[in-house]
Amino acid sequence: MAGSHPYFNLPDFTQPSTPSSPSLPSHQRCRPSDATKGLLVALLGGGLPAGFVGPFSRMAYQASHLPSLELLICRCLFHLPIALLLKLRGDPLLGPPDVRGRACLHALLNVLSIGCAYSAVQVVPAGNAATVRKGSSTVCSALLALCLESQGLSGYDWCGLLGSTLGLIIIVGPGLGTLQEGTAGLYTALGYVLAFLGGLALSLGLLVYRSLNFPSCLLTVAFLFGLVGLVGSVPGLFVLQTPVMPYDPLSWSCVGAVGILALVSFVCVSYAVTKAHPALVCAVLHSEVVVALMLQYYVLYETVAPSDIMGAGVVLGSIAIITAQNLSCEREGQVEEQDQT
C-alpha cells in the first residue's frame, strides 16, 4: 500500500499533511474590542510621547528660562494648521452651534491643565510633577464618572486604579515629607498644587469631551485648543511673565519636540477616551510617569530615589493588570450586526 507501512499502518510523512482544523471564516475571526483599542492607543500614543514633554520643557527652561506661558503659546501654534483640514472637509471651525459652548469649555479646561503642568515642571522635578498630575486625574476621573455617568468598574479595574494610585503615593510621598522651609519650600508646594489642579482640569476636560458627538469632533477640539490657548496665553504672558527670545538651538529643538509630541498625545488621548472608561485611560497614561523618571535620571541627571523606582514598578504592574483585564476580542460578524442595529 502506497503511503503507509503494510504492518503498522504508519502515515507517509513525505506527503504534505492536511491542516488539523480548517481556518475560521472571515466573519468569525476576532478583532480587538473598542476598549482594547482605546487603551492601547492611550498607552502607545498618549502616555509614551507625553513622558518626553515634561523633561523637554524643563530643558528649555534651564537653557533659556523660557516662561511657561510662552511654551504653551508655542505648543498652541502646532494646533492651528488643523483649521486647513476642517476647511477641506467643509466643517465649521468652532463646531456645530448647539455644542460650540461645550467644545470651547473642553479647550479651556485642557489649556488650564497644560498651563498648570508647564508651571509645575519649572519648580518641581519633571517625574514628580507628572506623577501628581496623572494621579489626581485618575482619581477625579473615576469619581466623576461614577457620580455623573453612573459607569461602574470591575474588581480588576479597581485593583489597577488603587495600585497605580499607591505607586504614585510611593513616588511623591517622601518628597512631600521633606519640603524645605522658607521660599524654596513654598515654591515646591505651589508646584505640587499646580500639578494637582492640572490633573483635575484634565479629568473634567475628558468628561466634557465624552459628551461631544458630531463629525470632525476630534479635529475641532484640537483646533479649539490652539485657538483658546493663544487667546488666553498671549495677554497673560505680557502681564504675568516676561517674554524671552531663545537663541540657542537646544531651546528651539525642545520647543519643537514639545509641540509635536504633545499634539500626538492630545489626539490619541481624545480618541482613547471615546473607546474606554476615562479613569482607565488616565491610569494607562501613568506610563508617562515612568518615561519622565527615566529621562529625569539619564538626560537631566536629576536624582531618582529608590522610592521612585519602587513606585514606578507598582505603576507598571497596575497598568498591566488594567490592560490585561480589558484585552478582549469581538467576532467580526457580531460587530457588524451591532453596527447595523
Side-chain angles (χ1 to χ4, degrees):
M1 294 175 60
S4 63
H5 194 278
Y7 297 105
F8 300 101
N9 195 25
L10 297 175
D12 186 4
F13 293 101
T14 61
Q15 301 295 328
S17 59
T18 58
S20 58
S21 60
S23 60
L24 291 175
S26 60
H27 67 277
Q28 294 184 359
R29 295 174 184 172
C30 288
R31 70 178 185 182
S33 64
D34 286 344
T36 301
K37 290 188 290 186
L39 292 179
L40 290 179
V41 169
L43 175 63
L44 301 178
L48 297 184
F52 291 84
V53 173
F56 284 167
S57 303
R58 191 170 180 86
M59 290 173 62
Y61 176 74
Q62 292 177 348
S64 57
H65 293 281
L66 195 69
S68 58
L69 289 178
E70 188 171 349
L71 185 60
L72 179 58
I73 291 173
C74 296
R75 172 178 173 175
C76 292
L77 293 176
F78 283 85
H79 287 248
L80 295 184
I82 299 177
L84 299 177
L85 297 177
L86 292 172
K87 281 296 184 182
L88 292 176
R89 294 170 59 96
D91 297 324
L93 294 180
L94 303 181
D98 55 334
V99 297
R100 190 166 295 170
R102 281 180 291 163
C104 292
L105 176 62
H106 169 267
L108 178 61
L109 289 172
N110 275 275
V111 170
L112 292 175
S113 175
I114 300 301
C116 290
Y118 287 168
S119 300
V121 81
Q122 294 182 0
V123 294
V124 175
N128 290 7
T131 299
V132 174
R133 180 168 175 260
K134 292 306 178 183
S136 61
S137 66
T138 302
V139 175
C140 294
S141 294
L143 295 178
L144 290 172
L146 288 175
C147 298
L148 301 180
E149 295 186 350
S150 300
Q151 286 187 320
L153 294 172
S154 66
Y156 287 100
D157 292 335
W158 279 112
C159 180
L161 286 176
L162 294 177
S164 60
T165 305
L166 175 62
L168 300 181
I169 293 175
I170 294 175
I171 294 174
V172 182
L176 292 177
T178 59
L179 289 178
Q180 298 178 359
E181 297 181 358
T183 306
L186 179 61
Y187 278 115
T188 303
L190 179 60
Y192 283 116
V193 171
L194 289 174
F196 174 82
L197 294 177
L200 176 60
L202 174 62
S203 61
L204 291 172
L206 293 178
L207 191 63
V208 172
Y209 181 77
R210 285 172 62 89
S211 66
L212 302 175
N213 186 15
F214 59 91
S216 300
C217 177
L218 183 58
L219 295 177
T220 301
V221 297
F223 168 73
L224 281 176
F225 173 85
L227 181 62
V228 174
L230 282 178
V231 172
S233 301
V234 172
L237 175 64
F238 291 94
V239 174
L240 302 176
Q241 297 176 344
T242 302
V244 174
M245 177 59 69
Y247 294 100
D248 56 305
L250 176 61
S251 298
W252 285 113
S253 301
C254 292
V255 169
V258 166
I260 296 174
L261 293 172
L263 177 59
V264 172
S265 178
F266 181 91
V267 173
C268 291
V269 171
S270 299
Y271 169 83
V273 80
T274 62
K275 302 296 182 181
H277 195 288
L280 299 182
V281 172
C282 290
V284 171
L285 291 178
H286 290 174
S287 56
E288 171 188 346
V289 177
V290 180
V291 177
L293 286 175
M294 293 176 60
L295 294 176
Q296 176 182 326
Y297 180 76
Y298 289 105
V299 178
L300 300 178
Y301 300 105
E302 295 180 351
T303 304
V304 176
S307 59
D308 296 336
I309 301 175
M310 184 185 306
V314 175
V315 168
L316 289 177
S318 303
I319 293 176
I321 293 175
I322 294 174
T323 307
Q325 197 275 332
N326 286 273
L327 283 179
S328 60
C329 62
E330 298 174 345
R331 299 290 184 184
E332 292 186 0
Q334 297 175 355
V335 175
E336 293 175 359
E337 293 177 0
Q338 295 175 0
D339 295 339
Q340 292 176 358
T341 56

